């Protein structure tokens, strides 16, 4: 019933659907677990807000977000790290929470691509660059990249807690085979991961190129390679969201065939 509702809003419900698929309706401290609070009419779900193990509140409640958000937060009893979901809903959810300053508060462009229309960059198609799953020996390097991404893109402060979070996150993605590195002459130069996975679609997240290596098209190549791997497993569609002010990222994604389909909001509290 819940997934049937979320499937009606599939492209903006990737975290909700993927976490539900992985952990079910289990509220705990394990990865992907959370508490779901829904508005119902007879046997139909009208909206849902979830509070997950990692402190994120995720919304998909077009008409009930103001009512459901405080209930989900109160029911969980855990610290809130941030909010994500359709842009307007995130703004409405934040308005009813007594939270202070945010390190990240943006309404991003939501992009989608049917993978049959994926445009493969020339360097990748010709084999001058390669994309592969991360090797276990690269854990330390990619943990550093994850820390840098979280600091630059999401505004997290450097801390031992952030490093533990990133190490756990990288280790989990490694076990799930959901992260990819781009190599040039066998040297890692860029990274991408799937932060939500379903049988028919994936959501790209955490795309990172070290600053000294930017401007060479590495980001679009690592995303293309990850999506080629997903397409080989039967995945048909890809979703991602990116800052409206990041012209380089938006151009890179459009060059792969992505098109803007809406807004996606993300708030990270200080």
């Amino acid at each position: 019933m819940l997934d049937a509702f979320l499937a009606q809003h599939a492209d903006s419900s990737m975290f909700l659907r993927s976490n539900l698929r992985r952990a079910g309706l289990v509220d705990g401290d394990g990865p992907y677990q959370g508490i779901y609070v829904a508005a119902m009419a007879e046997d139909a779900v009208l909206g849902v807000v979830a509070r997950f193990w990692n402190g994120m509140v995720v919304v998909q409640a077009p008409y009930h977000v103001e009512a459901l958000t405080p209930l989900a937060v109160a029911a969980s009893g855990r610290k809130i790290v941030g909010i994500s979901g359709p842009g307007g809903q995130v703004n409405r959810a934040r308005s009813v929470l007594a939270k202070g300053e945010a390190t990240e508060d943006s309404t991003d462009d939501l992009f989608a691509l049917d993978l049959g229309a994926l445009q493969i960059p020339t360097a990748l198609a010709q084999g001058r660059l390669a994309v592969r799953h991360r090797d276990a020996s690269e854990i330390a390097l990619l943990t550093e990249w994850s820390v840098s991404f979280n600091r630059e893109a999401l505004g997290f402060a450097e801390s031992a807690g952030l490093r533990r979070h990133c190490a756990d996150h990288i280790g989990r993605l490694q076990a799930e085979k959901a992260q990819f590195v781009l190599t040039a002459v066998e040297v890692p130069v860029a990274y991408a991961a799937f932060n939500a996975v379903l049988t028919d679609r994936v959501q790209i997240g955490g795309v990172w190129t070290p600053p000294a290596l930017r401007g060479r098209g590495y980001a679009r190549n690592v995303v293309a390679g990850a999506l080629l791997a997903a397409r080989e497993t039967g995945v048909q569609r890809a979703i991602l969201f990116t800052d409206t002010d990041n012209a380089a990222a938006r151009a890179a994604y459009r060059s792969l065939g992505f098109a803007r389909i809406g807004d996606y909001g993300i708030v990270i509290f200080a």
Side-chain angles (χ1 to χ4, degrees):
M1 185 186 305
L2 177 55
D3 189 64
F5 164 75
L6 294 172
Q8 300 173 32
H9 311 275
D11 290 339
S12 59
S13 299
M14 287 296 295
F15 287 125
L16 286 161
R17 294 187 74 201
S18 179
N19 290 358
L20 181 64
R21 173 176 171 264
R22 291 182 182 278
L25 294 173
V26 176
D27 180 24
D29 296 324
Y32 311 115
Q33 294 177 351
I35 190 164
Y36 298 75
V37 177
M40 306 282 295
E42 297 181 349
D43 292 331
V45 175
L46 303 179
V48 64
V49 173
R51 160 62 171 80
F52 287 113
W53 93 106
N54 59 0
M56 290 298 297
V57 173
V58 185
V59 302
Q60 187 59 264
Y63 306 108
H64 301 87
V65 71
E66 291 91 347
L68 294 177
T69 299
L71 294 176
V73 170
S76 74
R78 298 186 181 98
K79 179 183 177 181
I80 304 167
V81 171
I83 313 169
S84 74
Q89 293 183 39
V90 168
N91 292 333
R92 290 160 53 199
R94 187 182 181 189
S95 73
V96 298
L97 293 181
K99 296 294 291 183
E101 183 180 353
T103 59
E104 171 71 13
D105 186 354
S106 65
T107 301
D108 294 352
D109 286 330
L110 184 66
F111 283 88
L113 169 65
D114 289 329
L115 294 187
L118 175 63
Q119 301 297 305
I120 304 171
T122 301
L124 191 64
Q126 294 180 346
R128 290 185 280 117
L129 297 173
V131 174
R132 58 168 169 76
H133 288 293
R134 188 201 72 177
D135 185 88
S137 66
E138 296 163 342
I139 290 176
L141 171 65
L142 297 192
T143 297
E144 288 299 321
W145 285 7
S146 180
V147 170
S148 296
F149 169 83
N150 277 271
R151 292 178 62 191
E152 179 179 338
L154 300 178
F156 284 104
E158 170 69 41
S159 69
L162 175 62
R163 290 187 169 272
R164 285 193 301 272
H165 165 78
C166 291
D168 290 345
H169 180 66
I170 291 293
R172 187 167 61 251
L173 291 175
Q174 175 72 359
E176 296 167 2
K177 296 185 177 179
Q179 58 188 352
F180 303 84
V181 292
L182 178 75
T183 59
V185 197
E186 300 187 0
V187 176
V189 294
Y191 170 88
F194 300 146
N195 58 20
V197 178
L198 298 170
T199 56
D200 67 333
R201 66 191 69 202
V202 293
Q203 183 169 270
I204 290 279
V207 180
W208 174 256
T209 304
L213 299 176
R214 293 176 185 172
R216 308 181 192 188
Y218 289 157
R220 75 187 67 189
N221 278 275
V222 72
V223 169
L227 294 180
L228 282 172
R231 191 169 72 179
E232 290 177 357
T233 70
V235 171
Q236 302 166 13
R237 190 166 172 84
I239 310 298
L240 60 83
F241 49 91
T242 190
D243 195 320
T244 56
D245 293 332
N246 192 337
R250 293 167 71 240
Y253 297 139
R254 289 186 185 279
S255 75
L256 298 177
F258 279 91
R260 184 183 182 278
I261 59 168
D263 298 320
Y264 196 84
I266 183 165
V267 175
I268 301 295
F269 295 112

